[in-house]
Amino acid sequence: MDVTIIDLLRHGECQGGEIFRGTTDVELTDKGWRQMQVSSACESAPWQQIITSPLKRCALFAEQLAAQHQLPCTRHQDFAEISFGDWEGCLVSDVEREQGENLKKFWHSPTTNTPPNGEPMVAFSDRLDRGWQSLLADYRGQHLLLVNHGGALRVLLTKILSMPLDAIVQLDVPYACFTRVKIYHSNGRSDWSQLVSHNTSIEMLG
């Protein structure tokens, strides 16, 4: 039986404060950079490939980490964060004050309440699933690192754990969160996934 291991690393703290960041392409703060360094620090990297969202808060760190360990690094468009439409770049507090009822509906049921001109959650989920399936097809049996976003990682975790998509609001994925997943492949049968660890560091996993 082939086993694919995928480590998931969320980006660290970003410039711009508490905003709807989505596709807004900002860089990490110095603190955010240090947070990711702590979560991914290892003398000998176990990965064969590093895959990253194309957005700078993920990609710049991923590419430096790949260079440090002499690994290939690929920016994958399907792993970009969701677009919040008209809320993009706005302070969460401002949206809460001006569109509080709409925001409450979005937090309660994101699959049926899309921000104005935003990307529907179901479409976002389908895009991520397409990217995930491409990883499993292209890198079967390898150990990968996927550097990604809070919203994207929550959606991926609902898929891995067979949870309803609206359950993303129940999953805590803090800055620089490090998660490990194993996918077991068996010829003639469906793959099955196992959550090995969540919100730890590669050093703790050994």
Side-chain angles (χ1 to χ4, degrees):
M1 179 183 290
D2 291 337
V3 180
T4 303
I5 302 174
I6 303 181
D7 292 337
L8 310 168
L9 176 63
R10 187 189 175 190
H11 63 75
E13 180 186 83
C14 301
Q15 297 176 9
E18 294 301 314
I19 64 173
F20 283 96
R21 200 159 276 108
T23 56
T24 302
D25 202 8
V26 298
E27 296 188 19
L28 298 171
T29 62
D30 290 342
K31 178 181 177 180
W33 200 274
R34 291 193 300 271
Q35 289 170 329
M36 296 184 76
Q37 288 174 325
V38 170
S39 293
S40 61
C42 56
E43 290 187 11
S44 179
W47 313 298
Q48 281 84 51
Q49 305 275 342
I50 296 179
I51 312 296
T52 180
S53 159
L55 298 174
K56 289 185 288 189
R57 58 190 183 271
C58 293
L60 296 182
F61 181 86
E63 287 164 355
Q64 185 187 89
L65 185 65
Q68 177 185 339
H69 293 289
Q70 298 182 315
L71 295 171
C73 183
T74 302
R75 296 191 184 200
H76 198 307
Q77 296 296 322
D78 283 341
F79 292 110
E81 183 62 294
I82 193 170
S83 170
F84 289 107
D86 293 352
W87 296 353
E88 275 292 328
C90 296
L91 289 169
V92 175
S93 58
D94 287 348
V95 174
E96 188 171 19
R97 183 179 66 254
E98 297 166 9
Q99 301 184 51
E101 193 59 34
N102 288 339
L103 183 57
K104 286 180 183 177
K105 289 178 181 179
F106 175 70
W107 292 141
H108 183 261
S109 180
T111 60
T112 55
N113 295 280
T114 302
N117 297 309
E119 182 178 14
M121 186 61 67
V122 173
F124 177 48
S125 176
D126 288 345
R127 169 163 64 81
L128 289 170
D129 187 58
R130 183 176 66 230
W132 187 258
Q133 294 305 321
S134 74
L135 295 191
L136 298 183
D138 294 343
Y139 305 111
R140 177 169 171 155
Q142 294 190 36
H143 190 164
L144 311 178
L145 175 65
L146 173 61
V147 183
N148 214 213
H149 305 273
L153 292 176
R154 288 180 177 89
V155 170
L156 290 173
L157 285 171
T158 64
K159 294 178 180 296
I160 291 161
L161 298 173
S162 300
M163 299 170 68
L165 185 54
D166 274 336
I168 60 171
V169 296
Q170 298 173 266
L171 297 171
D172 184 29
V173 181
Y175 285 140
C177 181
F178 188 94
T179 298
R180 176 166 291 176
V181 174
K182 288 185 178 180
I183 301 92
Y184 295 86
H185 311 278
S186 181
N187 292 333
R189 301 179 65 181
S190 299
D191 295 346
W192 64 278
S193 303
Q194 180 184 57
L195 180 64
V196 177
S197 66
H198 179 64
N199 197 17
T200 181
S201 69
I202 190 171
E203 183 179 40
M204 293 178 66
L205 288 169

